[in-house]
Amino acid sequence: MPDLLLELFSEEIPARMQRKAADDLKKLVTDALVERGLLYEGAKAFVTPRRLTLHVAGLPVRGRDVREERKGPRVGAPDAAVQGFLKAAGLASLDQATIVSDPKKGDSYVAIIEKPGQETLAAIAEIVPAVIRAFPWPKSMRWGKASAAGASLRWVRPLHSILCTFGAETEDTEIVPFEVDGIVSGNVTHGHRFLAPGPITVRRLDDYVSSLEKAKVVLDADRRKEIILTDAKNLAFAQGLELIEDEGLLEEVAGLVEWPVVLMGSFEERFLDIPGEAIRATIRANQKCFVLRDPATGNLANRFILVSNLAASDGGVAITAGNGRVVRARLSDAAYFWQTDRGSLPDLDTFAESAKKLGLDLAKPLDQRMAKLDKLGVVFHAKLGTQGERVQRIAALARELAPIVGADPEKAERAAKLAKADLPTEMVGEFPELQGLMGRKYAELQGEDASVAAAVEEHYKPLGPSDRVPSDPVSVAVALADKLDTLVGFWAIDEKPTGSKDPYALRRAALGVIRLVVENGVRLGLIEPCAIQQIIIADGMQYRDTVSAQAAIDKARGTYDALREEDRLSPLENRRARAFSSYGDPDKIAADLLSFFHDRLKVMLRDQGARHDLVDAVLGEGASANDDLLLITLRVAALGRFLDTEDGKNLLAGYKRAANILKAEEKKDGEGAFTGAADLQLIADAGLIEEKALAVALAQATPKAEAAVAAEDYEGAMAALAELRPAVDAFFDKVTVNDPDPAQRANRLKLLNQLRQATRAVADFDRIAG
């Protein structure tokens, strides 16, 4: 069967756009083919800096013929209906329609529409120009004289030629004829810009790939990556060094070259005094080069790996020398930043007020930077104050959380006050990705406690589902405080995520809180600290001159306790509503935020293989009260293990049967008609062993399950419920619930309601699927 080969040849496509562009080209063309009934066997897209290529294998020569019967109005219908039918079916008159008889509905008109399948060549000639004109580049441009016209072609970079051939393996291919803004399709491509720029005539994929290879172009991006990685490792190994792999950089570099040539450069050893992370960031960001390390020491080596797009006649000596000059210049800048950040600021006197407010020591360089950040009034968010004010809030909350996570409150507060101090440093100003890490380096240099220094870096973590979660208690306290302050703040000003938009990465922050709590086994009720933090945010101006973070927390807690007392003594519309009219009720906002945590927890557990319906079952009706995320995960895990057993599966089936019966009967008798305990005398009078056994089992298992849940022994609670299984099975096997005797019927429904209530002590089984 024929194949399609399409190449769009242009100036250099930015590396960051290449993968998606190849995927988009494949999807747009193949979707359009399928819409026309042109099914194919396989498709693959390729991309280099100068070309987007698509190969579609196993296409038919033409599409299938289509025969469609379109039913029309009854014979004798009004003329308007008949004319509408003729127009829709494309018929000139009723003579072209067929009359079909139906014994019930009578005679009606039917149009039989036959459409011959479209020639694939013609279909491609329609599809490709439309795809090119509407291609979804993130950024595009117009060029040449035609650019003066607003309707001219837009492409990521000037498009030079279009190769488009179609044909079977055993036959000569045809050029698919079309034209896009003066660019006529053909069967000619070009090789490497410098090494083999001449025209190349091709027919199909096999000779296309081989011809490009001879013309110094490696078409497959993954193969270019493999070449770069293998050659880089071999080159490093030959020098007794080890490549520091970087998948993101490897992907980018593979998108910058069509013929990768790996070379090694060097720089002076004196630059190794700069922190390794800064060296790597400098060389990576400015030169797109890889760094090497000495496997014996684990330290960086004064070597780097670069990837050229040329096989130079001098073996790459000039290219390496040129890159080395630039690397040395960049490292000189980094050395200057590193030295400057460790020294004192020239205008210390102007920071005295900020230092006093935050409790900072201006004899220490990192404290000076924090005081500078506060003095400059750098805004975190227009409605949430400055970075300095935010640091005060984080310090207060970190001190509050410290005993809960097992951290020293003084260390947690100190770490929080230094956590953002590296933001105004020269190094972070040049390389924002080093924030936190450079703060740790500077904290260590000025003699901070090891836990405090670690927390300065780790408070940003985890940055995603696969990022490491800090375990040092001080780091956990500051990380939780930082993320909770962010979440509470944006909830208070109603800047919550909506749909696919999350500009402040609040979903990531919530997942970070969940992972910090769950993976470190932290027992933390979220409602109260979130509500108190909102009070601190809302009344932040009151705490601007507060030196003690503990004083801020104590004042906020006093306000919170007073509000709860007002709730008890007076209606909500009284003083509480007035006091919080500008930013909302702290309890309400905290509860809404907790619901967001529950949603993110479901996503996390589902990604880990747990059933999200079990989370709903554990949360039950009172979801707002379940603010201990660790306990929720433990209960979900225990419930999942229980439902995987035979006892669990059968008890769930019995529960569902009981619940369905109760729902049906409550519709007749009213909601709550079967509350209360079953009458034991009526059970004795009925004389059914199975009914009595269920009553006894419920009387024994219910308090056991409730006591186990109260003691947070969820395995014990499940074991108690498991004791019900034989009695439930026997009851439904032998006992008629809807007894003709109304008293017996009501009593047995009460017994089933007791079963429902017993299981709800552990989880809401109504929410469990199955």
Side-chain angles (χ1 to χ4, degrees), residues 248-284:
L249 180 59
L250 180 61
E251 177 75 19
E252 183 176 8
V253 171
L256 296 175
V257 297
E258 289 195 318
W259 189 253
V261 178
V262 178
L263 303 169
M264 180 181 289
S266 64
F267 54 87
E268 289 80 356
E269 287 191 9
R270 63 186 175 87
F271 289 123
L272 294 178
D273 292 336
I274 305 169
E277 295 85 358
I279 294 174
R280 183 177 179 182
T282 299
I283 293 177
R284 184 191 197 280

Coordinates of all heavy atoms in Angstrom, one line a residue, residues 248-284:
G248 N 17.1 17.3 30.6 CA 16.6 18.5 30.0 C 17.6 19.1 29.0 O 17.2 19.6 27.9
L249 N 18.8 19.2 29.4 CA 19.8 19.8 28.6 C 20.1 18.9 27.4 O 20.3 19.4 26.2 CB 21.1 20.0 29.4 CG 22.3 20.6 28.6 CD1 22.0 22.0 28.1 CD2 23.5 20.7 29.5
L250 N 20.1 17.6 27.6 CA 20.3 16.7 26.5 C 19.2 16.9 25.4 O 19.5 16.9 24.2 CB 20.3 15.3 27.0 CG 20.6 14.1 26.0 CD1 21.9 14.3 25.3 CD2 20.4 12.8 26.6
E251 N 18.0 17.0 25.8 CA 16.9 17.2 24.9 C 17.1 18.5 24.1 O 16.8 18.6 22.9 CB 15.6 17.2 25.7 CG 14.3 17.5 24.8 CD 13.9 16.3 24.0 OE1 14.3 15.2 24.3 OE2 13.1 16.5 23.0
E252 N 17.5 19.5 24.8 CA 17.6 20.9 24.2 C 18.8 20.8 23.2 O 18.6 21.3 22.1 CB 17.9 21.9 25.3 CG 18.0 23.3 24.7 CD 18.2 24.4 25.7 OE1 18.4 24.0 26.9 OE2 18.2 25.6 25.4
V253 N 19.9 20.3 23.6 CA 21.1 20.2 22.7 C 20.8 19.4 21.4 O 21.2 19.7 20.3 CB 22.3 19.7 23.4 CG1 23.5 19.5 22.5 CG2 22.7 20.7 24.5
A254 N 20.1 18.3 21.6 CA 19.7 17.5 20.5 C 18.8 18.2 19.5 O 18.8 17.9 18.3 CB 19.0 16.2 20.9
G255 N 18.1 19.3 20.0 CA 17.3 20.1 19.1 C 18.1 21.3 18.5 O 17.5 22.1 17.8
L256 N 19.4 21.4 18.8 CA 20.2 22.5 18.3 C 21.1 22.0 17.1 O 21.7 22.9 16.4 CB 21.0 23.1 19.4 CG 20.3 23.8 20.5 CD1 21.3 24.2 21.6 CD2 19.5 25.0 20.0
V257 N 21.2 20.7 17.0 CA 22.2 20.2 16.0 C 21.5 19.2 15.1 O 20.7 18.4 15.5 CB 23.4 19.6 16.7 CG1 24.2 20.6 17.5 CG2 23.1 18.4 17.6
E258 N 22.0 19.1 13.8 CA 21.6 18.0 12.9 C 22.6 17.0 12.8 O 22.3 15.8 12.5 CB 21.2 18.6 11.6 CG 20.0 19.4 11.5 CD 19.4 19.7 10.1 OE1 20.3 20.0 9.2 OE2 18.2 19.6 9.9
W259 N 23.9 17.3 13.1 CA 25.0 16.4 13.0 C 25.9 16.6 14.2 O 26.8 17.4 14.3 CB 25.8 16.7 11.7 CG 26.9 15.6 11.4 CD1 28.2 15.7 11.6 CD2 26.6 14.3 10.9 NE1 28.8 14.5 11.2 CE2 27.9 13.6 10.8 CE3 25.5 13.6 10.6 CZ2 28.0 12.3 10.4 CZ3 25.6 12.3 10.1 CH2 26.9 11.7 10.0
P260 N 25.5 15.9 15.3 CA 26.2 16.1 16.6 C 27.6 15.7 16.7 O 27.9 14.5 16.3 CB 25.3 15.3 17.6 CG 24.6 14.3 16.8 CD 24.4 14.8 15.4
V261 N 28.5 16.6 17.1 CA 29.9 16.3 17.3 C 30.3 16.7 18.7 O 30.2 17.9 19.0 CB 30.8 17.0 16.2 CG1 32.3 16.7 16.5 CG2 30.4 16.6 14.8
V262 N 30.7 15.7 19.5 CA 30.9 16.0 20.9 C 32.4 16.3 21.1 O 33.3 15.6 20.7 CB 30.5 14.7 21.8 CG1 30.8 15.0 23.2 CG2 29.0 14.4 21.6
L263 N 32.6 17.4 21.9 CA 34.0 17.9 22.2 C 34.1 18.2 23.6 O 33.1 18.3 24.4 CB 34.3 19.1 21.4 CG 34.1 19.1 19.8 CD1 34.2 20.4 19.2 CD2 35.2 18.2 19.2
M264 N 35.4 18.2 24.1 CA 35.6 18.5 25.5 C 36.5 19.8 25.6 O 37.5 20.0 24.9 CB 36.4 17.4 26.2 CG 36.7 17.7 27.7 SD 37.6 16.4 28.5 CE 36.3 15.1 28.6
G265 N 36.0 20.7 26.5 CA 36.7 22.0 26.8 C 37.2 22.0 28.2 O 36.9 21.1 29.0
S266 N 37.9 23.1 28.6 CA 38.4 23.2 30.0 C 38.4 24.6 30.4 O 38.2 25.5 29.6 CB 39.8 22.6 30.1 OG 40.7 23.4 29.3
F267 N 38.5 24.8 31.8 CA 38.7 26.1 32.4 C 39.6 26.0 33.5 O 40.0 24.9 34.0 CB 37.3 26.7 32.8 CG 36.5 25.8 33.7 CD1 36.7 25.8 35.1 CD2 35.6 24.9 33.2 CE1 36.0 25.0 35.9 CE2 34.8 24.0 34.0 CZ 35.0 24.1 35.4
E268 N 40.0 27.2 34.1 CA 41.0 27.2 35.1 C 40.5 26.6 36.4 O 39.3 26.7 36.8 CB 41.5 28.6 35.4 CG 42.3 29.2 34.3 CD 41.5 29.7 33.1 OE1 40.3 29.5 33.2 OE2 42.1 30.3 32.2
E269 N 41.4 25.9 37.1 CA 41.0 25.2 38.4 C 40.5 26.2 39.5 O 39.8 25.8 40.4 CB 42.1 24.3 38.9 CG 42.4 23.1 38.1 CD 43.3 22.1 38.8 OE1 43.7 22.4 40.0 OE2 43.8 21.1 38.1
R270 N 41.0 27.4 39.4 CA 40.6 28.4 40.4 C 39.1 28.6 40.5 O 38.6 29.0 41.5 CB 41.4 29.7 40.2 CG 41.0 30.4 38.9 CD 41.9 31.7 38.7 NE 41.6 32.3 37.3 CZ 40.7 33.2 37.1 NH1 39.9 33.6 38.1 NH2 40.6 33.7 35.9
F271 N 38.5 28.4 39.4 CA 37.0 28.6 39.3 C 36.3 27.5 40.1 O 35.1 27.6 40.4 CB 36.5 28.6 37.9 CG 36.9 29.8 37.2 CD1 37.6 29.8 36.0 CD2 36.5 31.1 37.6 CE1 38.0 30.9 35.3 CE2 36.9 32.2 36.9 CZ 37.6 32.1 35.8
L272 N 37.0 26.4 40.5 CA 36.3 25.3 41.3 C 36.0 25.8 42.7 O 35.4 25.0 43.4 CB 37.2 24.1 41.2 CG 37.4 23.4 39.9 CD1 38.3 22.2 40.0 CD2 36.0 23.0 39.3
D273 N 36.5 26.9 43.1 CA 36.2 27.5 44.4 C 34.7 27.9 44.5 O 34.1 28.0 45.6 CB 37.1 28.6 44.8 CG 38.5 28.2 45.0 OD1 38.7 27.0 45.3 OD2 39.4 29.0 44.9
I274 N 34.1 28.2 43.3 CA 32.7 28.5 43.2 C 31.9 27.3 43.5 O 32.3 26.2 43.1 CB 32.4 29.0 41.8 CG1 33.3 30.2 41.5 CG2 30.9 29.5 41.7 CD1 33.2 30.6 40.0
P275 N 30.8 27.4 44.2 CA 29.9 26.2 44.5 C 29.6 25.5 43.1 O 29.3 26.1 42.1 CB 28.6 26.8 45.1 CG 29.1 28.0 45.8 CD 30.2 28.6 44.9
G276 N 29.7 24.1 43.2 CA 29.5 23.3 42.0 C 28.2 23.6 41.3 O 28.1 23.6 40.1
E277 N 27.1 23.8 42.1 CA 25.8 24.1 41.5 C 25.8 25.4 40.7 O 25.2 25.5 39.6 CB 24.7 24.2 42.6 CG 24.5 22.9 43.4 CD 25.5 22.7 44.5 OE1 26.4 23.6 44.7 OE2 25.3 21.7 45.2
A278 N 26.6 26.4 41.1 CA 26.7 27.6 40.4 C 27.5 27.5 39.1 O 27.1 28.0 38.1 CB 27.3 28.7 41.3
I279 N 28.5 26.7 39.2 CA 29.3 26.4 38.0 C 28.4 25.7 36.9 O 28.4 26.1 35.7 CB 30.5 25.5 38.3 CG1 31.5 26.3 39.2 CG2 31.2 25.0 37.0 CD1 32.7 25.5 39.7
R280 N 27.7 24.7 37.4 CA 26.8 23.9 36.5 C 25.8 24.9 35.9 O 25.5 24.8 34.7 CB 26.2 22.8 37.2 CG 25.3 21.9 36.4 CD 24.8 20.7 37.2 NE 23.9 19.9 36.4 CZ 23.3 18.8 36.9 NH1 23.5 18.4 38.1 NH2 22.5 18.1 36.1
A281 N 25.1 25.7 36.7 CA 24.1 26.6 36.2 C 24.7 27.6 35.2 O 24.0 27.9 34.2 CB 23.4 27.4 37.4
T282 N 25.9 28.1 35.5 CA 26.5 29.0 34.5 C 26.8 28.4 33.2 O 26.4 28.9 32.1 CB 27.8 29.5 35.2 OG1 27.6 30.2 36.4 CG2 28.5 30.5 34.2
I283 N 27.4 27.2 33.2 CA 27.8 26.6 32.0 C 26.6 26.1 31.2 O 26.5 26.1 30.0 CB 28.8 25.4 32.3 CG1 30.1 26.0 32.8 CG2 29.1 24.6 31.0 CD1 31.1 25.0 33.2
R284 N 25.6 25.6 32.0 CA 24.4 25.1 31.3 C 23.6 26.2 30.7 O 23.2 26.1 29.5 CB 23.5 24.3 32.4 CG 22.3 23.7 31.8 CD 21.4 23.2 33.0 NE 20.4 22.3 32.6 CZ 19.3 22.5 31.9 NH1 19.0 23.8 31.6 NH2 18.4 21.6 31.6

